């Protein structure tokens, strides 16, 4: 049986597994590594040693048996050689690589196979609405959005859940301030235009005016008891605040819309039932008047049991109560196979307790996966949290604006003759791409340094570098006035840099699939960076437009596919491309 699709590594591992099975080793994973120089199509199968051990067989013998089956089955695609007792070296034939690449070029999905469809709730961005979105929100928003796009492309039914914080004590002073403005006859609509100033004034008054602070506290109680006037003010505020978030999502090209917002307050009606269910499950214990859950796996300092407070002694419901209601909704009403929460690592304990309690209460079934995907924080060059000079949080809107402005001056330096409108458009795409890519290209679990110069550089693993690589490919076609249909021509690969590029292209499906294993978008970033590097090497070594007719068409085809894969991969990360920069 020949290898039928173009994902070389996966196909090879399936073939090796089949061959192992034929030799009696059931369920033995074949571990395939790329080996040697990339241009030669060398791979090595490493799972044989383990399989031999399990079988109690001599590894060399098993390797020989496996090799024989591989030769029988796919000997026309590759050559095989035993390398030491448990290893088989595999070298794909040039013809086979070319066939695979042709198949990839003709496939709209570039060889990425849809996975078995699951319903996945993705909780991301989820800012608190009592503050303007700040730079800290960039991580959850950008990383969550890239993963959402990739999961959708892999065929899943993704439900975006923007679990915004719209309830709680923080709203007291905002409502009191709105009330004050209204009673002074000031038009609220105008006052709410600049939310940041609004927040600052309200919190300033809370700190300095005792009467105001008292009012603010009363407003919390009134809000929670459903006072009409108070609810009306609150609704106006929330809707203004959501508009502000949406404007930022649009500016950042984040695929969230207002219909994805399911705020904390939406779960208010369920909170009493949550307590009843937890009580029925025997999980609630009273501690200083508060309703708590103690689970044996959570212990604090000195091995003290660590409670999760579900209802405070004053009757109020904290963050986790709402989250329990949201888990119940996602697991039972939505019947999600999986729920993935992209939230700062500082909330790890919260999520560990949340999921453990929800499981103990039976909200989540055995086969449902609920998972917190944490990440580190954003620091400045000194390794301290990235703040304004005054020590405040940097507004996300300001970061986006600055990115666009900086990109604009870079573009103007690079390509002065572009029209202003073009510069503007390109600057937006390059600036926004740069800040998002800076997030995505790092291992998400580590803190990262926010540095304008690095992220906007045209060299290194950055969005501008990849976007620029894309424009270079586009310009080859533009200069020659060629439009290429992906199906046109045929590949004829023989230069080492051509083969290295071809093999890299064939690894695209693997890179995309690997991202969602542990939600590491940097895998795709690294892949695209390497692809762009191999493209450059190819382009430097192999003339394209000046090549002989036979080579020219193959090389143009290689350029075309490289460009399309770069654009597609960036698109999965939520980053656009431009034709010129
Ligand atoms: N609003 C929270 C915050 O800003 C994040 C919410 C994350 N999602 C959740 N279901 N708890 O910290």
């Amino acid at each position: 049986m020949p290898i039928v699709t173009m994902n070389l590594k996966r196909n090879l591992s399936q073939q090796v597994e089949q061959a192992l099975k034929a030799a009696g080793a059931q369920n033995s994973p074949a571990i395939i590594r790329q080996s040697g120089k990339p241009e030669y199509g060398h791979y090595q199968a490493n799972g044989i040693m383990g399989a031999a051990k399990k079988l109690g067989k001599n590894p060399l013998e098993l390797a020989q048996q496996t090799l024989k089956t591989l030769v029988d089955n796919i000997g026309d695609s590759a050559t095989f050689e035993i390398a030491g007792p448990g290893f088989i070296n595999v070298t794909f034939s040039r013809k086979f690589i070319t066939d695979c690449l042709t198949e990839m070029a003709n496939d709209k999905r570039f060889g990425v196979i849809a996975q078995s469809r699951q319903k996945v709730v993705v909780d991301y961005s989820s800012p608190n609405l009592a503050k303007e979105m700040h730079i800290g929100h960039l991580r959850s928003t950008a990383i969550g959005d890239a993963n959402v796009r990739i999961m959708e492309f892999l065929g899943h039914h993704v439900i975006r859940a923007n679990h915004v914080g719209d309830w709680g004590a923080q709203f007291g002073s905002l409502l009191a301030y709105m009330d004050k403005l209204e009673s002074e006859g000031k038009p609220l609509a105008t006052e709410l235009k600049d939310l940041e100033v609004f927040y600052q004034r309200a919190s300033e008054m809370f700190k300095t005016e005792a009467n105001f602070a008292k009012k603010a506290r009363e407003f919390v109680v009134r809000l929670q008891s459903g006072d009409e006037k108070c609810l009306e003010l609150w609704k106006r505020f929330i809707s203004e605040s959501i508009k502000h978030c949406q404007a930022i999502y649009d500016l950042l090209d984040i695929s969230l819309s207002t219909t994805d917002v399911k705020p904390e307050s939406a779960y208010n009606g369920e909170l009493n039932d949550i307590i009843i269910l937890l009580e029925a499950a025997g999980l609630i214990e009273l501690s200083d008047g508060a309703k708590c859950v103690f689970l044996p796996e959570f212990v604090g300092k000195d091995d003290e049991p660590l409670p999760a407070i579900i209802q405070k002694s004053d009757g109020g419901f904290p963050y986790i109560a709402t989250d329990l209601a949201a888990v119940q909704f996602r697991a039972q009403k939505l019947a999600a196979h999986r729920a993935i929460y992209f939230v700062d690592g500082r909330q790890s304990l919260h999520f560990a307790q949340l999921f453990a309690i929800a499981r103990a209460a039976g909200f989540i079934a055995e086969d449902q996966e609920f998972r917190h995907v944490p990440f580190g924080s954003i620091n400045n060059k000194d390794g301290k949290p990235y703040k304004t000079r005054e020590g405040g949080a940097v507004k996300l809107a300001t970061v986006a604006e600055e990115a666009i402005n900086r990109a604009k001056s870079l573009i103007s330096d690079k390509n002065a003759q572009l029209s202003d409108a073009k510069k503007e458009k390109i600057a937006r795409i390059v600036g926004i791409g740069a800040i998002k890519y800076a997030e995505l290209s790092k291992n998400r679990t580590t803190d990262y340094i926010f540095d304008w110069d690095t992220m906007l550089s045209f060299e290194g693993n950055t969005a501008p570098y990849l976007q620029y690589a894309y424009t270079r490919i586009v310009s080859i076609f533009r200069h020659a006035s060629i439009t290429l249909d992906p199906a046109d021509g045929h590949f004829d690969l023989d230069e080492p840099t051509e083969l290295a590029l071809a093999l890299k292209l064939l690894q695209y499906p693997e890179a995309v699939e690997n991202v969602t294993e542990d939600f590491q978008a940097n895998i795709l970033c690294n892949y695209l960076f390497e692809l762009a590097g191999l493209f450059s090497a190819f382009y430097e070594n192999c003339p394209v437009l000046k090549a002989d007719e036979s080579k020219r068409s193959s090389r143009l085809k290689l350029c075309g596919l490289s460009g399309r894969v770069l654009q597609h991969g960036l698109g999965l990360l939520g980053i656009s491309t431009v034709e010129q920069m």
Side-chain angles (χ1 to χ4, degrees), residues 342-521:
F342 288 89
V343 187
D344 195 309
R346 283 168 292 192
Q347 295 192 25
S348 291
L349 175 63
H350 164 78
F351 284 108
Q353 288 186 314
L354 172 67
F355 299 148
I357 295 169
R359 285 208 184 267
F363 296 172
I364 308 176
E366 193 87 44
D367 58 354
Q368 289 177 303
E369 183 193 346
F370 272 65
R371 183 162 164 203
H372 172 213
V373 178
F375 36 78
S377 45
I378 303 182
N379 291 338
N380 63 21
K381 275 189 189 157
D382 312 324
K384 304 231 169 66
Y386 193 80
K387 293 256 162 81
T388 59
R389 226 171 278 158
E390 296 74 36
V394 184
K395 291 202 282 177
L396 195 44
T398 316
V399 176
E401 259 162 51
E402 181 160 356
I404 295 171
N405 287 337
R406 284 176 180 258
K408 202 166 167 189
S409 83
L410 288 173
I411 304 295
S412 303
D413 291 347
K414 223 177 161 65
N415 201 344
Q417 65 270 36
L418 287 170
S419 71
D420 270 354
K422 269 203 175 142
K423 277 186 205 153
E424 191 69 43
K425 186 175 165 234
I426 297 170
R428 255 175 96 108
I429 291 177
V430 171
I432 297 300
I435 49 178
K436 286 168 88 174
Y437 193 87
E439 294 284 334
L440 297 167
S441 55
K442 311 293 181 310
N443 180 320
R444 63 172 165 73
T445 54
T446 46
D447 294 347
Y448 97 91
I449 294 171
F450 190 88
D451 178 38
W452 286 116
D453 297 330
T454 322
M455 70 178 80
L456 279 162
S457 167
F458 285 94
E459 268 146 53
N461 190 6
T462 66
Y465 169 76
L466 296 175
Q467 287 166 324
Y468 186 63
Y470 177 77
T471 61
R472 276 181 51 191
I473 298 176
V474 173
S475 77
I476 301 170
F477 291 93
R478 191 175 46 239
H479 288 314
S481 308
I482 299 171
T483 42
L484 187 73
D485 187 277
D488 286 349
H490 61 275
F491 289 113
D492 170 15
L493 314 166
D494 65 315
E495 288 295 320
T497 52
E498 288 178 315
L499 281 160
L501 177 60
L503 282 157
K504 191 73 205 173
L505 284 165
L506 288 172
Q507 285 163 18
Y508 184 60
E510 196 185 314
V512 174
E513 286 162 16
N514 284 349
V515 170
T516 54
E517 262 170 35
D518 196 28
F519 307 102
Q520 294 280 13

Side-chain angles (χ1 to χ4, degrees), residues 123-129 131 134 137 140 161-166 264 319 322-323 326 330 341-344 347 350-351 354:
D123 185 321
Y124 72 108
S125 195
S126 308
N128 285 334
L129 298 185
K131 283 198 214 104
H134 58 81
H137 293 114
S140 169
N162 195 359
H163 187 84
V164 301
D166 66 338
E264 289 190 1
Y319 184 48
T322 308
D323 252 331
R330 293 165 184 183
Y341 294 65
F342 288 89
V343 187
D344 195 309
Q347 295 192 25
H350 164 78
F351 284 108
L354 172 67

Side-chain angles (χ1 to χ4, degrees), residues 272 289 310-317:
N272 283 317
I310 316 296
Q311 187 171 23
K312 294 188 277 186
S313 54
D314 66 4
F317 291 102

Side-chain angles (χ1 to χ4, degrees), residues 200-220:
Q200 278 164 8
R201 298 229 171 103
S203 79
E204 193 55 37
M205 289 194 62
F206 186 82
K207 279 186 224 138
T208 54
E209 289 183 35
N211 252 341
F212 181 86
K214 187 164 162 265
K215 261 240 154 96
R217 286 192 199 98
E218 283 164 18
F219 263 102
V220 179

Side-chain angles (χ1 to χ4, degrees), residues 36-288:
K37 286 208 179 129
E39 60 268 34
Y40 298 124
H42 284 327
Y43 286 83
Q44 192 172 67
N46 288 329
I48 299 157
M49 200 72 114
K53 221 183 214 164
K54 264 203 285 181
L55 272 181
K57 217 173 179 164
N58 175 334
L60 183 63
E61 219 172 279
L62 184 62
Q64 276 160 345
Q65 239 176 322
T66 311
L67 182 139
K68 192 177 170 309
T69 316
L70 287 172
V71 172
D72 288 348
N73 287 349
I74 54 170
D76 52 352
S77 314
T79 53
F80 305 93
E81 172 195 65
I82 306 260
F87 305 107
I88 296 176
N89 282 346
V90 183
T91 306
F92 286 112
S93 73
R94 201 159 293 184
K95 154 116 182 28
F96 179 68
I97 293 170
T98 310
D99 289 349
C100 288
L101 200 66
T102 308
E103 210 176 313
M104 178 180 184
N106 292 339
D107 180 16
K108 275 200 225 74
R109 297 181 56 87
F110 302 107
V112 182
I113 294 171
Q115 299 178 342
S116 77
R117 189 170 172 82
Q118 287 189 330
K119 196 186 254 189
V120 190
V121 172
V122 182
D123 185 321
Y124 72 108
S125 195
S126 308
N128 285 334
L129 298 185
K131 283 198 214 104
E132 195 160 339
M133 284 183 85
H134 58 81
I135 190 167
H137 293 114
L138 187 54
R139 297 220 85 178
S140 169
T141 308
I143 298 175
D145 203 48
N147 280 285
V148 157
R149 288 172 196 253
I150 294 172
M151 279 189 269
E152 270 177 348
F153 179 61
L154 288 174
H156 298 297
H157 173 190
V158 175
I159 299 172
R160 293 164 173 76
N162 195 359
H163 187 84
V164 301
D166 66 338
W167 199 250
Q170 321 88 288
F171 290 91
S173 44
L174 297 171
L175 297 181
Y177 187 56
M178 282 171 90
D179 183 57
K180 178 176 145 44
L181 290 172
E182 227 183 13
S183 66
E184 289 166 1
K186 302 228 173 88
L188 271 187
T190 352
E191 298 288 335
L192 284 172
K193 278 248 153 64
D194 192 338
L195 279 177
E196 192 57 17
V197 172
F198 193 88
Y199 297 124
Q200 278 164 8
R201 298 229 171 103
S203 79
E204 193 55 37
M205 289 194 62
F206 186 82
K207 279 186 224 138
T208 54
E209 289 183 35
N211 252 341
F212 181 86
K214 187 164 162 265
K215 261 240 154 96
R217 286 192 199 98
E218 283 164 18
F219 263 102
V220 179
V221 180
R222 281 174 61 188
L223 179 66
Q224 282 168 348
S225 61
D227 172 298
E228 286 278 326
K229 154 91 183 148
C230 198
L231 279 176
E232 191 256 333
L233 279 178
W234 170 77
K235 276 187 196 142
R236 281 171 76 178
F237 181 82
I238 295 304
S239 100
E240 221 33 65
S241 190
I242 287 180
K243 263 193 233 156
H244 151 83
C245 294
Q246 190 58 46
I248 295 205
Y249 297 145
D250 293 345
L251 180 63
L252 292 179
D253 196 3
I254 296 297
S255 68
L256 282 167
S257 76
T258 47
T259 53
D260 301 316
V261 173
K262 175 141 183 167
E264 289 190 1
S265 64
Y267 298 99
N268 285 353
E270 320 303 325
L271 302 180
N272 283 317
D273 289 349
I274 293 291
I275 298 288
I276 294 171
L277 289 170
L278 295 182
E279 273 167 346
L283 290 164
I284 294 284
E285 276 177 54
L286 272 181
S287 172
D288 293 329

